[in-house]
């Protein structure tokens, strides 16, 4: 059976104190035993007791570990029992919160608990003997963490934004604020209540709003919201748990910003009752005046944007009023030109309103209507042609000096007497002239309908009319002359070239027609005929009429020799009187195949001219090449003769030695390339060199005696043999002590004469016997060659 010690809850603090400070309960394992009997020997099992949960307050200060209950088995007197607990909080995460003494069965909590992290635990207690055999069935232990008021209410937002229209009635919903409490919502610890702490500004009264203490809904409680006076309210809202108990509950605050939205409760008002302006005549898109307006509603909203209308004084629609989107002013603008001669002034009545309708109960202001006085300024207007463009009809070909019309303009300035003059502005063909004073137009040349300047039988010219006002004004007029065609162009034969078969065939015919630059009725039908001269034309050819515009030319005789024939044909049009033209058509007569086409023979014949031109071109190219070859041969022979006639020693200007080029020469140094070419020149006399004593001299040191001066070669070439010249120069160089032996010992660095060290040629071995060079073997591979030459090896 189970023994459980517990008490009823009297109050939260008292209950927590009793739970924590009361002695631990003893929980025994449930045992199954028989009780009672019946006549037939049957026994009834006793019902198990329900073990009440274990309550542990959160945030306990200890000390820890703190004993909660004691687990005990009835068999602990007979056998050694070992106790253990399993489940989340014991041997499962979060492990280590609860443990049990395996011998005594005392169960402990090891640390403070937090209900907001975990509100309950489910453990199982076990009892086994020393061998690990189960002695009792496991029992379930339920541990509940008792909530403490350790969390303040938290608003979802620190700042809330809401709005309500101005003029709203009391009870109008504004917004809702929400706060949550992490404590147990089933207890007073988690029950939140709301209230308004303050309102700013206090206009028109300090308490314009109220809040539902349970839901957090904010509503209006008074009338008088006016955006034009107060556009935004700031409200501090407080949330308190413990059902709003300010003594025991925890609180938090948030800010609610309430914007007062605009309604069209202020009609626009014009700043003055009468506006005035002036405008020059004949001008458009000119702002006459600006209408200023005042509206206290929210700027740049439909409740503020002004709309202007002209209700009277402008029946012809000369003016309109556009709204400036930035300033909301009305720009009275001319959209249709006004004429000073007809209207010198205008009196307009304008009305202003908003894009949005006025709010219910709001009446329009008397200041929404104003008058506008507009004065029209007279300006010098340009002369105007009454009919523009002016169209007249004339036959082409009228002679020069013919008067066509009077193209006069009128001055619209009736109140000012001014003189109008005329000039020509555009006359593409230069056919016309205009009288400067009266505008009479006459011709200066023949009018030709077929001219390139005539489009669709119409010739167009423009003229300028200007007055003598200040400033001078001018207007333009266009004259269109519709030219009537006359038969002044003879027809022209088409085509101008053709070909037929040399033997008359039914399908070997040429279709001919004509073109005429004139118009109806001075063109077709055309008449085609062959002239009577020369007689061979009518003898060999004939023309048959197909229709009014076409005819056929064909051979009259059975056979005509292949060639090119020029056949004259007379073409006449249908004008009154008709015009005729003698045209020539080139007809190529050629042999034809069965299909009536020119055969290959005929094609070769037709290409004769082209083949001839190609042959001539080829012959010209051949003659040019042969001429160039002959010219080159003659030049080479002449060059060879000049070369044989020249002496062996030539003039320095023709000396080919100056043209010798050196390619990739790697000599013995820079001085080895410094050749003295004067040694190859033949001197006038070599006695001053040959007669010198030949004593022994060193060749590695520059002599200190004066250098020999070779005679200058005369300008004229010497007639001697080049071999003798070279031998004489060689002897002179060998006997010259100042000439370094460039072809033998090379002097790479000369440091002057008189060295105190003397010559290295005087050095000699200090030993009279053989020198030992065996040490060269120790100097490495670089001296191996020397060691082999001078080393201590035996002579072969």
């Amino acid at each position: 059976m189970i023994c459980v010690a517990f008490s009823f809850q009297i109050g939260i603090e008292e209950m927590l104190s009793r739970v924590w400070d009361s002695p631990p309960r003893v929980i025994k394992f449930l045992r199954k035993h028989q009780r009672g009997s019946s006549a037939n020997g049957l026994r009834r099992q006793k019902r198990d007791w329900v073990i009440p949960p274990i309550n542990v307050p959160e945030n306990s200060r200890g000390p820890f570990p703190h004993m909660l209950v004691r687990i005990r088995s009835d068999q602990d007197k007979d056998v050694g029992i070992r106790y253990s607990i399993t489940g989340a909080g014991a041997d499962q995460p979060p492990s280590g919160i609860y443990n049990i003494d395996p011998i005594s069965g005392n169960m402990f909590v090891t640390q403070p608990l937090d209900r907001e992290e975990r509100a309950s635990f489910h453990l199982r207690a076990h009892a086994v003997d020393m061998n690990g055999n189960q002695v009792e069935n496991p029992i379930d232990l339920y541990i509940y963490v008792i909530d403490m008021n350790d969390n303040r209410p938290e608003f979802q937002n620190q700042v809330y934004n809401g709005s309500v229209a101005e003029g709203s009635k009391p009870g109008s919903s504004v917004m809702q604020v929400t706060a949550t409490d992490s404590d147990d919502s089933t207890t007073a610890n988690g029950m939140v209540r709301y209230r308004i702490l303050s309102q700013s500004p206090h206009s028109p009264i300090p308490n314009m709003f109220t809040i539902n203490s349970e839901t957090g809904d904010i509503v209006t409680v008074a009338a008088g919201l006016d955006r034009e006076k107060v556009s935004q309210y700031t409200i501090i809202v407080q949330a308190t748990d413990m059902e709003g108990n300010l003594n025991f509950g925890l609180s938090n605050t948030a800010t609610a910003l309430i914007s007062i939205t605009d309604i069209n409760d202020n009609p626009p008002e014009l700043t003055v009752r009468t506006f005035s302006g002036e405008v020059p005549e004949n001008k458009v898109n000119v702002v006459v005046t600006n209408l200023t307006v005042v509206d206290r509603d929210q700027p740049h909203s439909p409740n503020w944007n002004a709309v202007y209308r002209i209700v009277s004084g402008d029946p012809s629609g000369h003016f309109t009023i556009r709204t400036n989107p930035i300033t909301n002013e009305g720009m009275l603008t001319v959209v249709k030109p006004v004429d000073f001669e007809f209207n010198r002034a205008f009196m307009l009545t304008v009305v202003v309103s908003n894009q949005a309708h006025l709010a219910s109960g709001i009446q329009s202001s008397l200041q929404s209507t104003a008058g506008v006085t507009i004065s029209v300024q007279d300006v010098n207007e340009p002369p105007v042609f009454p009919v523009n463009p002016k169209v007249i009809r004339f036959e082409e070909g009228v002679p020069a000096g013919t008067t066509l019309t009077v193209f006069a303009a009128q001055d619209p300035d009736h109140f000012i007497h001014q003189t109008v003059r005329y000039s020509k502005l555009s006359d593409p063909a230069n056919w016309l002239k205009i009288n400067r004073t009266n505008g009479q137009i006459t011709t200066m040349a023949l009018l030709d309908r077929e001219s390139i300047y005539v489009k669709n039988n119409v010739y167009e010219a423009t003229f300028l009319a200007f007055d003598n006002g200040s400033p001078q004004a001018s207007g333009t007029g266009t004259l269109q002359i519709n030219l009537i065609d006359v038969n002044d162009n003879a027809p022209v034969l088409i085509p101008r070239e053709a070909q037929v078969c040399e033997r008359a065939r039914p399908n070997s015919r040429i279709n001919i027609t004509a073109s005429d630059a004139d118009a109806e009725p001075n063109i077709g039908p055309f008449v085609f005929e062959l002239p009577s001269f020369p007689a061979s034309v009518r003898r060999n050819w004939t023309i048959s009429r197909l229709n009014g515009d076409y005819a056929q030319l064909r051979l009259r005789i059975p056979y005509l020799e292949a060639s090119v024939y020029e056949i004259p044909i007379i073409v006449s049009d249908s004008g009154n009187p008709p015009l005729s033209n003698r045209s020539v058509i080139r007809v190529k007569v050629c042999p034809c195949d069965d299909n009536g086409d020119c055969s290959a023979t005929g094609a070769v014949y037709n290409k004769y001219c082209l083949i001839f031109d190609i042959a001539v071109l080829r012959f010209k190219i051949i003659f040019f090449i042969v001429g160039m070859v002959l010219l080159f041969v003659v030049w080479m022979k002449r060059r060879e003769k000049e070369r044989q006639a020249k002496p062996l020693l030539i003039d320095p200007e023709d000396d080919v030695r100056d043209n010798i080029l050196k390619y990739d020469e790697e000599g013995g140094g820079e001085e080895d390339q410094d050749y003295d070419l004067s040694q190859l020149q033949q001197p006038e006399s070599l006695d001053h060199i040959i007669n010198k004593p030949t004593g022994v001299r060193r060749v590695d040191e520059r002599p200190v005696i004066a250098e020999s001066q070779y005679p200058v070669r005369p300008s004229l070439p010497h007639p001697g043999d080049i071999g003798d010249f070279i031998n004489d120069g060689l002897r002179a160089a060998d006997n010259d002590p100042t000439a370094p032996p460039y072809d033998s010992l090379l002097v790479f660095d000369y440091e002057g004469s008189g060295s105190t060290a003397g010559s290295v040629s005087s050095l000699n071995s200090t030993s009279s016997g053989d020198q030992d060079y065996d040490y060269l073997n120790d100097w490495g591979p670089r001296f191996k060659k020397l060691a082999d030459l001078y080393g201590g090896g035996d002579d072969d």
Side-chain angles (χ1 to χ4, degrees), residues 492-495 511-515 526 528 547-551 571:
V492 178
L493 183 67
I494 298 175
N511 292 330
I512 58 176
T513 184
S515 66
F526 301 104
F528 303 91
N547 53 38
D549 295 331
Y550 288 90
V571 186

Side-chain angles (χ1 to χ4, degrees), residues 243-293:
E243 297 182 294
N245 190 321
L246 299 179
N247 295 324
F248 303 101
L250 301 178
S251 301
N252 213 337
T253 60
T255 301
L257 300 178
I258 302 175
S259 298
I260 309 302
T261 58
D262 184 48
I263 64 172
N264 194 12
D265 57 346
N266 294 281
E269 297 178 350
L270 293 166
T271 56
V272 295
R273 298 302 301 270
T274 302
F275 296 89
S276 62
E278 58 183 18
V279 59
E281 63 175 335
N282 300 323
K283 296 290 185 179
V284 294
N285 296 325
V286 176
V287 177
V288 180
T289 185
N290 289 322
L291 310 180
T292 56
V293 70

Side-chain angles (χ1 to χ4, degrees), residues 480-493:
Q480 294 180 345
I481 306 174
N482 195 337
L483 295 175
I484 302 172
D485 183 52
V486 297
N487 192 18
D488 58 348
N489 292 278
V492 178
L493 183 67

Side-chain angles (χ1 to χ4, degrees), residues 500 504-506 508-510 530 540-544 552-557:
V500 296
R505 295 187 179 187
S508 181
R509 297 172 181 176
I510 302 172
L530 296 173
N540 297 334
W541 304 90
T542 182
I543 292 179
S544 59
Q552 281 188 346
L553 175 67
R554 58 186 175 85
L555 286 174
R556 178 186 292 272
I557 58 178

